[in-house]
């Protein structure tokens, strides 16, 4: 049932995946549903709804990612990092969260799904000092662009981009951005069957001259 629904949603979003990737995404939803009962990882309870609000909502960002190494900050139960890792096997995703139960879920999901391109990190973002910086910093949970750029400014490499997954585009939030950062793109995302707007806001650090 879930596979049929996923296939239908992917077709609506013009996303083409292998049978294995589809099976992995369905398995991820099943794991989320199972763990959610004990760990309360997401407020979305219905697996069909998870396909729209968690899986498709994550996948539509994929075409806009530039580079090979990405960190998903405040990933929660691995969103958008796990779905993106499943459909981008050649890219590496680091999933950071400060809550142990979420990282436990992600570790289990990595094992169950056979993913080799995901690294879970249990840490607060301000305490995490990577040996190598990232091409992209992803987040769909941060309160504001200002918080995201302030707390994560040590994570992207010199060409790295912040990818903020947002609902409505908030002009006021953009005005609050520190002068050290500039918005390079605002992309309106279309998520099949999702009520409400979705935007991807791409932000870059302005080089100090």
């Amino acid at each position: 049932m879930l596979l049929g629904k996923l296939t239908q949603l992917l077709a609506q979003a013009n996303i083409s995946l292998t049978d294995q990737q589809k099976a992995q995404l369905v398995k991820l939803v099943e794991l989320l549903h199972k763990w959610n009962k004990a760990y309360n990882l997401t407020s979305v309870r219905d697996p069909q709804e998870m396909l729209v609000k968690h899986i498709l909502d994550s996948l539509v960002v994929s075409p806009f990612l530039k580079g090979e190494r990405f960190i998903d900050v405040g990933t929660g139960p691995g969103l958008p990092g796990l779905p993106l890792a499943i459909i981008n096997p050649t890219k590496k995703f680091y999933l950071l969260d400060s809550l142990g139960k979420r990282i436990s879920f992600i570790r289990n999901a990595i094992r169950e799904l056979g993913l080799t391109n995901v690294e879970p990190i249990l840490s607060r973002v301000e305490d995490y000092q990577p040996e190598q910086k990232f091409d992209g910093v992803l987040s769909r949970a941060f309160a504001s662009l200002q918080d995201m750029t302030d707390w994560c400014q040590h994570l992207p490499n010199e060409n790295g981009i912040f990818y903020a997954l947002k609902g409505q585009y908030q002009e006021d939030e953009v005005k609050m951005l520190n002068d050290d950062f500039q918005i390079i793109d605002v992309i309106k995302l279309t998520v099949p069957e999702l009520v409400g707007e979705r935007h991807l806001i791409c932000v870059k650090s302005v080089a100090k001259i």
Side-chain angles (χ1 to χ4, degrees):
M1 191 166 90
L2 285 176
L3 183 59
K5 179 71 175 171
L6 176 64
T7 303
Q8 178 195 333
L9 290 167
L10 291 169
Q12 287 173 263
N14 288 325
I15 298 172
S16 170
L17 300 182
T18 65
D19 288 344
Q20 185 195 357
Q21 287 168 335
K22 287 184 203 172
Q24 284 173 309
L25 290 168
V26 167
K27 183 81 187 277
L28 175 56
V29 167
E30 289 168 350
L31 288 171
L32 252 179
H33 183 57
K34 180 177 152 192
W35 277 60
N36 209 25
K37 290 172 183 152
Y39 286 86
N40 205 18
L41 298 168
T42 164
S43 59
V44 181
R45 300 284 172 202
D46 177 14
Q48 298 264 352
E49 246 185 283
M50 286 180 187
L51 285 175
V52 174
K53 291 184 175 173
H54 290 336
I55 304 300
L56 263 291
D57 194 51
S58 298
L59 298 185
V60 292
V61 175
S62 185
F64 307 105
L65 300 182
K66 298 183 173 77
E68 304 300 320
R69 282 169 50 83
F70 297 89
I71 184 163
D72 177 8
V73 177
T75 185
L79 302 166
L82 285 174
L84 288 170
I86 287 170
I87 70 164
N88 292 286
T90 61
K91 298 183 193 296
K92 181 94 189 196
F93 291 85
Y94 295 76
L95 275 51
L96 181 143
D97 203 277
S98 59
L99 264 189
K101 66 178 183 179
R102 293 173 182 161
I103 295 298
S104 296
F105 170 75
I106 290 166
R107 287 200 180 109
N108 180 67
I110 290 168
R111 264 198 314 274
E112 298 257 354
L113 300 171
L115 297 174
T116 56
N117 60 334
V118 180
E119 190 75 46
I121 302 158
L122 177 59
S123 174
R124 287 157 56 93
V125 65
E126 53 269 43
D127 299 335
Y128 177 60
Q129 297 297 333
E131 286 174 26
Q132 191 184 343
K133 307 266 187 178
F134 299 94
D135 298 317
V137 179
L138 288 152
S139 179
R140 79 195 277 260
F142 260 84
S144 71
L145 290 173
Q146 188 183 11
D147 285 350
M148 183 183 182
T149 48
D150 283 355
W151 296 346
C152 304
Q153 57 185 310
H154 59 297
L155 297 176
N157 59 35
E158 58 185 28
N159 294 311
I161 295 171
F162 294 94
Y163 298 94
L165 285 74
K166 294 281 183 182
Q168 287 181 314
Y169 178 63
Q170 305 278 6
E171 196 70 55
D172 295 352
E173 192 184 342
V174 171
K175 288 185 185 138
M176 297 288 289
L177 254 188
N178 185 315
D179 290 343
D180 293 342
F181 301 95
Q182 69 181 44
I183 290 182
I184 52 171
D185 211 350
V186 177
I187 300 149
K188 194 171 192 319
L189 299 170
T190 304
V191 183
E193 296 188 21
L194 185 74
V195 177
E197 292 183 21
R198 298 300 282 157
H199 289 85
L200 177 65
I201 301 176
C202 305
V203 179
K204 209 166 180 183
S205 178
V206 180
K208 310 281 188 299
I209 296 167

